Amino acid sequence: MEKFYKGIPGSGRIAFGTAIVFLQSNIFIPRYPIRKDDKTVDQEIKKLESALATTKKEIEKLKTDLKKDTSPLETGYIDTTILMLEDPLIREQVTQRIAESHFNVEWVFNEVIEEIAAKISKSDDYYFQERAPDVLSVGKKVLKNLLGSEEHEIPKNIDDPIIVSHTLSPPEIVSLYKKNVRAFVTEIGGKTSHVTIMSRDLKIPAVIGIDNITNNVHTGDKVIVDGTIGTIVVNPQEETIALYKFREEKYEKYENTLKAIEKQPCVLKSGEEITLLANMDVEEELVLIDKSNCQGIGLFRTEYIFLNRNRSPSEEEQRDFYTKVVKKFDPYEVTIRIIDIGGDKKPPYMDYYEEQNPFLGWRGIRYALSHKDILRAQIKAILGASHFGNARIMFPMVSDIDEINQIFEVVESCKEELGKKNVPFKENIQLGIMVETPSSIILLDKIADLVDFISVGTNDLIQYTLAIDRGNGMVATEFDPIHPAILRSLRLIADIASQKDLEVSICGEMAGDPLYTLLLLGFGYRKLSMSLMSIPTIKNIIINSSADDAAEIAETALEFSSKKDVGRYVREQMTKKFSYLEDYFRQYV
C-alpha cells in the first residue's frame, strides 16, 4: 500500500530504490558484574582502549580511501569524528563508572555515551543539539568493536539501496557512499546536521527528521526519496512513480541551468549588481564556501569556536583561525561577528545565572561588555587578522547608542595595546552592528552616523518584533517572515540606510529563501548573505529578474494587512515567474 511521509529537506534531487532499514536497537549489550579489584578494572579499560584504537583505524582508512577516490567531500567531518574518539572525557567517565559500579565495560560505555548524547540534545544551542546523533553513531561503532559484531552490510540482492536509519555518523555516511547508496532517510537530524551537510556535498538525496520511520518502512520496500521538498513515498503506485520521474527530469534541467551560470556575474536584467555572500559557522565549511563562487563571508558566527571545548580559545588561537579565513577570501570581505553568547548558546565553562527569559536577558553585546576579557581577546585577534585581508567586525544585539560608544572605546583600547606591541593591523577596519531589535530600528537614523555598515539579522528581528520565541513549538507556526510588520520594518531599515548612504545587508534566513528574494530586492537590499547551498538558486532568480519586477512585488506586498494575503500573493507571483520552483514553493501552502 502506497504511503507518504513528510520530513525536513536535507539534500535535493529525487532517488528511486529499495529500503534497507537500520534499527536504532540493533546491538545487544550484555550487562554483568565484574570482580571488584584493580586488575579486573584495568582489563576492562584495556578492552575499551583497544576498541577505540580499532575504530580510529577504521575511520582513518575511510578517510584515506575517500581521498584516493577523489570524492567531492572534504575530510574535515572525518577529522571531527577522530577527535571525538580521542576525547579524554569519555575514558575518564567510563573508568570512574566501572570502578564505582563494577559492571562490564560494554554496558558502562553505552551508558556514558547515551548520557553525553542526552545532555547535548537538551542543550539550548541548536548546533550542539545536532551533534548528539553523531555521538550516538560513533558510540555504536565503538560498541561493535567491543562486542566483535559486524558493521552494516548491504544485502547482495539489492543494487539500488536507500538507507533508512535512526541516525548516521560521518564515517557511516562515507562508508555507505562508497557502497553506492541512492539516498538517506533518518529519524533525527536538522538542517545543520552532518547527514544534511555531507549528503549535499556528496550529491546524495536525503530527507531527515521523520519520526519513527524505521518502524514504518521495512527492508525490501520500494521507496522514492524527494530531498528537495522533504518527502518519501513507500511502495509507490505506477502513477506516482511516473510523476516523480517527471519531477526528476525537471530537477536535472534546473541543476544544469545552475551549473551554467556559476561563473556569470550576479546582475539583475536591469543592470544592477547584487552581492551574494556566505554565512559561516564552523571550519568544515571553509573549503566548501571557497568553492561556491560567493563574494566573501557576510556573517562569520564566531561563537562556535567557543563551543564544544572545555576552555575559552586564546587570543592567539582565534587570531590564527581568523587569519586563515581572511587570507582565504582576500580581497573579498569577511565580516566577523563578535561572540553572540547567551540565549541558546552557552559554553559550559562560561558563567551564567538562571534567567526566566534568556533571549531577553544576558546575551549578545550585553554579555560581551560584561566580560571585557573575552571581548578584548576577540577584538585583538580580529584586528591582528585584519592585516592579512579585508576583515570587518560586527557586533550583535545592539539596542542603544551607549552600547555602541562602549564598544568603540574597547576597540580603541585594543588598537593602542596592539600598537605598543608592534602588532600590525588595519587601522581603519570597518565596524558595524546587527540590526535585530526594534529599538535599533527606531534609533537607526542616529546609529547610522556612528557605524560603517549594518546587517539585518532577520531571525531575531522576527522574534523580537512579533514577541515570539522561535524555539517554542507552541508558537512556531506564528514565526513568519512574511508578517506585514516585518516587511514594513525591512523597508524602513533600507530607506534609512539609503538616506544616510549606509551600507546595509541581510544575513538572516530570509536572505537564502527563494520565496523572499524579489521582496528583499524590491525593498532596496543589494547585499545578501546566506547558507552557501542557497547561493546558486538565489543567483538564478536574480539574473532572471529586473529591478522593476522586484519593486512591483515589494510595493504590492506592503499594501496587504494580513500575512496570509501577503503569503498568497508572493507565492503566486514567484510561482508564476519561476515555475520550475513550484515544488519548492508548495511547502509554504
Side-chain angles (χ1 to χ4, degrees):
M1 180 179 170
E2 179 179 270
K3 289 185 178 180
F4 288 78
Y5 297 92
K6 184 74 173 75
I8 299 169
S11 177
R13 290 293 297 274
I14 292 172
F16 302 82
T18 304
I20 296 176
V21 181
F22 294 153
L23 296 173
Q24 182 181 11
S25 57
N26 64 341
I27 305 176
F28 170 73
I29 304 168
R31 180 178 185 266
Y32 54 86
I34 61 171
R35 292 173 62 89
K36 297 181 180 181
D37 58 69
D38 292 342
K39 182 179 179 181
T40 305
V41 172
D42 287 343
Q43 287 174 344
E44 293 296 295
I45 298 304
K46 284 178 181 177
K47 285 165 64 177
L48 175 62
E49 294 287 352
S50 176
L52 288 168
T54 299
T55 307
K56 182 179 176 182
K57 285 180 183 178
E58 291 171 350
I59 293 172
E60 286 175 336
K61 184 178 185 304
L62 277 176
K63 178 179 175 180
T64 303
D65 291 345
L66 198 63
K67 288 180 176 178
K68 285 180 181 176
D69 291 349
T70 62
S71 160
L73 184 70
E74 295 300 322
T75 58
Y77 306 104
I78 309 300
D79 292 332
T80 302
T81 304
I82 293 171
L83 288 173
M84 204 182 300
L85 290 168
E86 294 174 340
D87 187 351
L89 181 65
I90 294 175
R91 290 173 172 80
E92 290 169 9
Q93 289 191 19
V94 172
T95 302
Q96 182 179 352
R97 187 76 58 87
I98 291 175
E100 291 173 352
S101 69
H102 294 98
F103 278 104
N104 58 302
V105 66
E106 296 87 355
W107 181 266
V108 171
F109 175 78
N110 187 58
E111 276 191 329
V112 169
I113 287 296
E114 288 190 345
E115 287 172 9
I116 292 172
K119 186 176 180 181
I120 292 173
S121 67
K122 292 175 183 175
S123 168
D124 290 332
D125 179 72
Y126 188 63
Y127 179 80
F128 252 28
Q129 290 175 19
E130 301 252 287
R131 303 287 77 80
D134 299 332
V135 173
L136 288 172
S137 291
V138 174
K140 185 167 61 177
K141 200 170 181 68
V142 176
L143 274 169
K144 284 180 177 294
N145 283 319
L146 272 170
L147 296 162
S149 54
E150 294 296 319
E151 274 286 3
H152 302 314
E153 284 298 327
I154 305 293
K156 292 181 180 178
N157 63 329
I158 296 179
D159 58 6
D160 55 353
I162 287 178
I163 304 302
V164 180
S165 178
H166 179 67
T167 184
L168 292 167
S169 68
E172 287 173 323
I173 293 168
V174 173
S175 176
L176 292 166
Y177 162 74
K178 289 168 63 61
K179 295 172 182 176
N180 299 314
V181 300
R182 300 291 176 86
F184 297 123
V185 178
T186 65
E187 292 179 326
I188 58 176
K191 290 187 176 180
T192 60
S193 65
H194 278 139
V195 178
T196 299
I197 296 171
M198 294 177 71
S199 296
R200 287 176 178 174
D201 298 343
L202 294 169
K203 294 182 169 45
I204 297 176
V207 176
I208 52 183
I210 305 182
D211 187 45
N212 206 35
I213 193 63
T214 57
N215 290 319
N216 290 311
V217 181
H218 303 93
T219 294
D221 284 345
K222 292 299 178 181
V223 179
I224 299 174
V225 176
D226 188 340
T228 301
I229 60 175
T231 59
I232 75 165
V233 189
V234 181
N235 296 319
Q237 297 175 356
E238 288 300 322
E239 295 85 351
T240 304
I241 294 172
L243 173 61
Y244 275 92
K245 288 284 186 183
F246 174 71
R247 286 185 181 172
E248 184 185 33
E249 290 175 6
K250 284 173 60 180
Y251 289 160
E252 285 179 356
K253 289 178 182 177
Y254 180 56
E255 286 196 346
N256 290 334
T257 299
L258 296 182
K259 194 164 187 178
I261 65 170
E262 271 183 0
K263 304 298 181 182
Q264 286 186 30
C266 188
V267 179
L268 287 163
K269 288 195 292 187
S270 47
E272 294 178 74
E273 184 176 355
I274 308 299
T275 302
L276 298 184
L277 305 156
N279 295 340
M280 178 178 171
D281 296 319
V282 292
E283 186 172 1
E284 289 97 327
E285 296 173 289
L286 190 54
V287 175
L288 300 173
I289 294 173
D290 188 35
K291 295 176 180 177
S292 70
N293 296 306
C294 70
Q295 295 166 282
I297 304 295
L299 172 61
F300 182 178
R301 301 182 181 98
T302 58
E303 49 270 18
Y304 296 107
I305 300 172
F306 290 75
L307 296 168
N308 202 23
R309 56 191 298 149
N310 297 319
R311 60 172 180 79
S312 182
S314 67
E315 178 184 331
E316 292 74 20
E317 287 175 310
Q318 291 186 66
R319 184 180 63 240
D320 289 346
F321 184 47
Y322 302 149
T323 298
K324 181 179 180 181
V325 178
V326 169
K327 280 183 173 180
K328 173 76 75 173
F329 289 97
D330 189 49
Y332 291 130
E333 69 189 52
V334 175
T335 301
I336 304 174
R337 186 177 72 181
I338 290 296
I339 182 174
D340 186 6
I341 285 299
D344 59 349
K345 305 184 204 70
K346 296 179 179 179
Y349 54 84
M350 291 187 179
D351 62 307
Y352 311 95
Y353 65 91
E354 193 65 31
E355 298 179 274
Q356 290 294 323
N357 295 295
F359 283 99
L360 298 177
W362 206 25
R363 65 163 296 198
I365 200 60
R366 296 170 185 169
Y367 189 96
L369 285 171
S370 63
H371 292 77
K372 294 277 181 60
D373 54 334
I374 296 173
L375 178 61
R376 289 179 61 84
Q378 186 168 29
I379 289 175
K380 286 186 289 182
I382 299 172
L383 286 170
S386 71
H387 176 67
F388 300 95
N390 189 11
R392 315 195 306 173
I393 308 179
M394 184 160 66
F395 300 91
M397 293 302 300
V398 173
S399 58
D400 62 44
I401 301 293
D402 291 338
E403 287 173 339
I404 295 175
N405 290 332
Q406 290 181 64
I407 291 165
F408 287 179
E409 287 177 8
V410 174
V411 172
E412 288 305 312
S413 173
C414 289
K415 286 181 177 180
E416 288 179 14
E417 184 178 335
L418 293 180
K420 290 177 182 177
K421 294 179 179 179
N422 295 316
V423 176
F425 62 89
K426 183 187 291 184
E427 181 66 45
N428 61 340
I429 188 171
Q430 288 194 319
L431 306 176
I433 67 161
M434 297 276 285
V435 174
E436 308 171 271
T437 61
S439 64
S440 64
I441 300 175
I442 294 168
L443 292 170
L444 192 55
D445 61 326
K446 302 297 183 185
I447 290 174
D449 296 329
L450 302 175
V451 299
D452 297 308
F453 66 93
I454 60 171
S455 189
V456 184
T458 54
N459 301 353
D460 274 328
L461 180 63
I462 297 166
Q463 174 171 245
Y464 293 126
T465 302
L466 302 184
I468 289 174
D469 178 357
R470 57 190 171 112
N472 185 336
M474 297 295 291
V475 292
T477 56
E478 301 301 317
F479 186 86
D480 197 341
I482 216 83
H483 193 291
I486 301 302
L487 300 189
R488 292 185 182 197
S489 296
L490 291 172
R491 178 59 176 267
L492 178 61
I493 294 167
D495 286 347
I496 294 174
S498 177
Q499 293 164 12
K500 291 286 187 175
D501 196 25
L502 177 68
E503 180 196 307
V504 60
S505 65
I506 298 268
C507 64
E509 290 300 312
M510 274 188 85
D513 194 318
L515 184 63
Y516 310 127
T517 302
L518 293 191
L519 260 183
L520 296 176
L521 297 179
F523 291 154
Y525 294 94
R526 294 294 181 266
K527 203 170 192 179
L528 309 175
S529 187
M530 64 198 70
S531 161
L532 66 98
M533 303 300 175
S534 302
I535 290 175
T537 298
I538 301 300
K539 182 178 181 179
N540 187 55
I541 289 175
I542 290 169
I543 66 175
N544 286 291
S545 305
S546 68
D548 288 342
D549 293 333
E552 181 182 351
I553 288 180
E555 292 301 327
T556 305
L558 286 171
E559 294 174 5
F560 295 104
S561 55
S562 162
K563 65 181 180 181
K564 288 184 179 178
D565 292 337
V566 177
R568 187 182 304 112
Y569 168 73
V570 173
R571 193 167 56 249
E572 287 173 354
Q573 293 301 307
M574 293 301 288
T575 302
K576 189 186 301 181
K577 293 177 183 296
F578 305 99
S579 59
Y580 49 81
L581 291 173
E582 181 180 3
D583 289 342
Y584 176 85
F585 295 141
R586 191 184 296 122
Q587 67 182 294
Y588 292 94
V589 177

